[in-house]
Amino acid sequence: MRIFSRKTLREFWELPDHADSEQPLKAWYDEASKANWKTPNEIKALYKNASILKDGRAVFNIHGNKYRLIVKINYDFAVIYIRFVGTHKQYDKINANEV
């Protein structure tokens, strides 16, 4: 899968309060970039705690659910768009279907 954009993840983990997210986000990025997901079920097979939303969106729990990552996936073109990365508290303040 092609992922847009790693820069978003890097900018997040470079924040002093989120330095502990670097390795978990890099691990997710490496796994997702090697994946070839065709359906949401394939995501759930690898990430049991991922939440599948409407319109190709998925929410991943990062670093023991301390952080949340929302992506939008175009399965036909094998592309992942990072829509949000933040703390669980920040996630609770947004609408995951609209970011």
Side-chain angles (χ1 to χ4, degrees):
M1 307 286 289
R2 291 182 323 182
I3 303 172
F4 296 98
S5 109
R6 188 172 194 267
K7 179 182 176 188
T8 303
L9 300 178
R10 187 182 69 246
E11 288 173 348
F12 183 78
W13 76 56
E14 287 178 346
L15 294 170
D17 291 346
H18 305 131
D20 62 341
S21 69
E22 181 176 1
Q23 291 309 313
L25 287 170
K26 283 182 176 179
W28 176 88
Y29 184 91
D30 288 342
E31 288 176 349
S33 64
K34 293 173 186 170
N36 189 23
W37 297 322
K38 299 290 185 195
T39 67
N41 289 337
E42 292 179 11
I43 295 171
K44 289 294 280 185
L46 184 59
Y47 295 97
K48 303 283 187 222
N49 293 324
S51 298
I52 304 301
L53 308 178
K54 64 181 181 177
D55 197 28
R57 292 176 189 264
V59 180
F60 295 90
N61 299 323
I62 303 294
H63 196 48
N65 204 23
K66 183 174 182 180
Y67 303 107
R68 292 282 180 97
L69 173 65
I70 302 172
V71 300
K72 184 170 181 174
I73 303 168
N74 183 320
Y75 295 99
D76 293 333
F77 293 100
V79 176
I80 298 173
Y81 301 95
I82 296 173
R83 305 299 299 152
F84 170 87
V85 59
T87 65
H88 200 284
K89 186 176 181 179
Q90 291 167 327
Y91 172 84
D92 288 341
K93 294 179 182 178
I94 64 164
N95 183 334
N97 288 305
E98 293 181 1
V99 295

